Amino acid sequence: MANINVETLMSLLRSRTAIAIAASTFCLLLLVFWTNHQGISWQKDPGYAYHKSKVENATLGFGEIFVVNMPERTDHRDAMIISASMSGLQLTFEDGIDGSTVEEKVLPPQYQRINDAQIGSWRGHLNAIQKVVAHNLSSALICEDDIDWDIRLKSQLLDFSNASRKLSGGVNNEDDAAPDYISPYGQDWDLLWLGHCGVQVPVKSDDYVPPSKELIPHDPSAVHYKYRHGIDYFFSKSNPNDKHLRAVHHAKEAVCTYAYAVSLKGARKILLALGLERLMQPFDGQLSEWCNHGWNNSCLIPNPSFFTTHRPKGSDKWDSDINGEKWEQDVHVREKGVSDGIRWSVRLNMDKLLKGETNFDDSYPD
């Protein structure tokens, strides 16, 4: 064996140690970069295990999931049941209301005439909210019966829960444990508007909605900017390099109530305001007006949305029970179903889900 003096040996060891330290540092920096660009900063939360277990349960961390469904729309109910089954969700159906049966004497004192279908929608949603209060539920997710969502919904909501806790007051437990009544979405929110068809991003000059927001950067489940309609200045100008940015902020001028969660506190406030005091427009507009008082009513919203309405293949004659039957000359036939803004649609990938396949169709490829 060749002789190696002590000085040479020590120099060699120092060189190898330096290489090892450099390699370790590089790997650590790479991990931090990857984590920050996958929108999963929630892994740093000491209560991560608790929040994850709640968000990924069968009711997505809420007390129940209610679906407002007209009993005669068995097609909608069938679709919701199979979609929920393939997503590991448990639903409770709340019968929708025929607005023509709602008597004028039960309408709020501040009332402006809307059509029977809109009155029925208002009462159906309020009946679900009423159940939250009557059963003293900590929270509930309330959905319309014709919605769709991404196959990655639970991971989306895990990201969202991290953001909502920061905006509404969360709990970080060093021992990864928390009482059952602690919401993974935070402690001081009234409504989480998880499914909508449009919202404005609040700015500092707003005097009725707090401007604070949290970002979920480079979210692979968020559609590319080029597919989004009416992109807000905040997305297109302030963050031009992140084409898959998702923001969480306070709701301002939100439209469509595809899906929203209410806390018990929020349900009580909404039941009073929309059930007993004021109904001047369809339910989603009235709820949006209520949320616009953002310093008093805490309504948080993901932008873009997690839930959307699904329009199935075939005739669009009966797309909406609220808007009613279309005139024959306005009816069109779709060759394929559509779920706006959803990349890995559960409805559009149902055949693959049932077969156990994982090469899902992306409705909005880059």
Side-chain angles (χ1 to χ4, degrees):
M1 179 182 295
N3 293 326
I4 301 178
N5 62 40
V6 174
E7 184 176 344
T8 301
L9 180 61
M10 293 301 294
S11 176
L12 181 61
L13 289 174
R14 284 195 295 271
S15 177
R16 289 183 175 180
T17 300
I19 292 173
I21 292 173
S24 299
T25 302
F26 175 77
C27 290
L28 180 60
L29 290 173
L30 186 63
L31 176 62
V32 169
F33 176 83
W34 181 85
T35 297
N36 288 338
H37 286 74
Q38 291 297 315
I40 53 174
S41 59
W42 39 259
Q43 288 189 347
K44 302 174 185 177
D45 188 337
Y48 164 70
Y50 167 79
H51 300 310
K52 185 174 188 292
S53 68
K54 291 297 183 183
V55 171
E56 293 185 348
N57 70 18
T59 55
L60 300 173
F62 304 108
E64 284 197 50
I65 301 177
F66 290 112
V67 178
V68 181
N69 165 253
M70 295 297 289
E72 63 270 19
R73 291 308 301 257
T74 55
D75 55 333
H76 287 180
R77 185 171 295 214
D78 288 345
M80 285 295 292
I81 287 175
I82 192 170
S83 295
S85 177
M86 300 309 296
S87 303
L89 304 180
Q90 179 179 325
L91 308 179
T92 300
F93 284 88
E94 175 67 30
D95 284 349
I97 301 296
D98 179 351
S100 66
T101 68
V102 177
E103 297 189 22
E104 186 175 352
K105 63 185 178 183
V106 307
L107 298 173
Q110 295 184 58
Y111 171 69
Q112 181 170 297
R113 181 66 189 173
I114 54 179
N115 67 43
D116 286 346
Q118 292 167 341
I119 291 175
S121 171
W122 161 78
R123 193 59 246 177
H125 280 276
L126 279 186
N127 284 353
I129 293 170
Q130 183 191 82
K131 276 191 167 59
V132 178
V133 178
H135 297 167
N136 206 39
L137 299 176
S138 60
S139 63
L141 177 64
I142 300 172
C143 307
E144 295 181 351
D145 66 353
D146 56 353
I147 61 170
D148 193 11
W149 54 87
D150 197 287
I151 290 168
R152 298 161 289 188
L153 176 63
K154 291 184 178 181
S155 64
Q156 289 177 327
L157 290 180
L158 196 53
D159 273 348
F160 174 81
S161 71
N162 180 58
S164 64
R165 287 196 305 276
K166 293 176 182 176
L167 291 172
S168 67
V171 176
N172 292 330
N173 298 281
E174 296 298 334
D175 59 357
D176 272 6
D180 285 342
Y181 64 83
I182 297 297
S183 168
Y185 299 97
Q187 296 313 299
D188 193 24
W189 56 271
D190 293 313
L191 183 142
L192 307 176
W193 205 316
L194 302 178
H196 57 88
C197 58
V199 67
Q200 295 183 30
V201 179
V203 295
K204 290 183 179 180
S205 59
D206 288 325
D207 59 358
Y208 56 88
V209 178
S212 53
K213 58 183 69 71
E214 291 290 329
L215 304 182
I216 303 174
H218 303 283
D219 182 347
S221 68
V223 296
H224 191 283
Y225 280 174
K226 64 184 178 182
Y227 294 114
R228 303 189 200 179
H229 304 294
I231 287 297
D232 193 280
Y233 174 88
F234 172 78
F235 289 95
S236 61
K237 302 298 182 183
S238 302
N239 297 272
N241 296 322
D242 188 348
K243 305 302 183 184
H244 295 280
L245 178 68
R246 195 185 301 272
V248 179
H249 53 81
H250 296 268
K252 175 186 175 184
E253 307 295 344
V255 186
C256 305
T257 47
Y258 299 144
Y260 58 94
V262 291
S263 65
L264 177 58
K265 172 172 67 77
R268 289 166 175 163
K269 293 164 70 174
I270 294 169
L271 191 60
L272 173 63
L274 274 65
L276 299 174
E277 293 181 345
R278 182 176 173 84
L279 179 62
M280 305 296 288
Q281 54 189 314
F283 178 75
D284 65 330
Q286 199 64 58
L287 190 63
S288 184
E289 179 187 274
W290 184 82
C291 283
N292 283 344
H293 298 287
W295 294 103
N296 298 316
N297 305 318
S298 177
C299 303
L300 302 179
I301 194 166
N303 189 0
S305 174
F306 292 133
F307 296 88
T308 189
T309 187
H310 176 74
R311 299 188 295 279
K313 176 181 178 180
S315 172
D316 65 358
K317 185 175 183 178
W318 288 107
D319 274 359
S320 173
D321 290 323
I322 296 177
N323 294 331
E325 181 180 1
K326 291 187 174 184
W327 295 102
E328 289 297 334
Q329 62 268 26
D330 296 326
V331 173
H332 298 91
V333 176
R334 282 185 292 268
E335 295 186 3
K336 58 184 295 186
V338 178
S339 294
D340 289 334
I342 304 297
R343 299 196 67 174
W344 290 3
S345 158
V346 170
R347 293 288 299 273
L348 298 177
N349 280 284
M350 188 57 69
D351 285 342
K352 291 190 174 186
L353 287 169
L354 290 171
K355 293 175 182 177
E357 298 177 6
T358 56
N359 58 325
F360 302 120
D361 292 333
D362 186 348
S363 298
Y364 295 89
D366 288 351

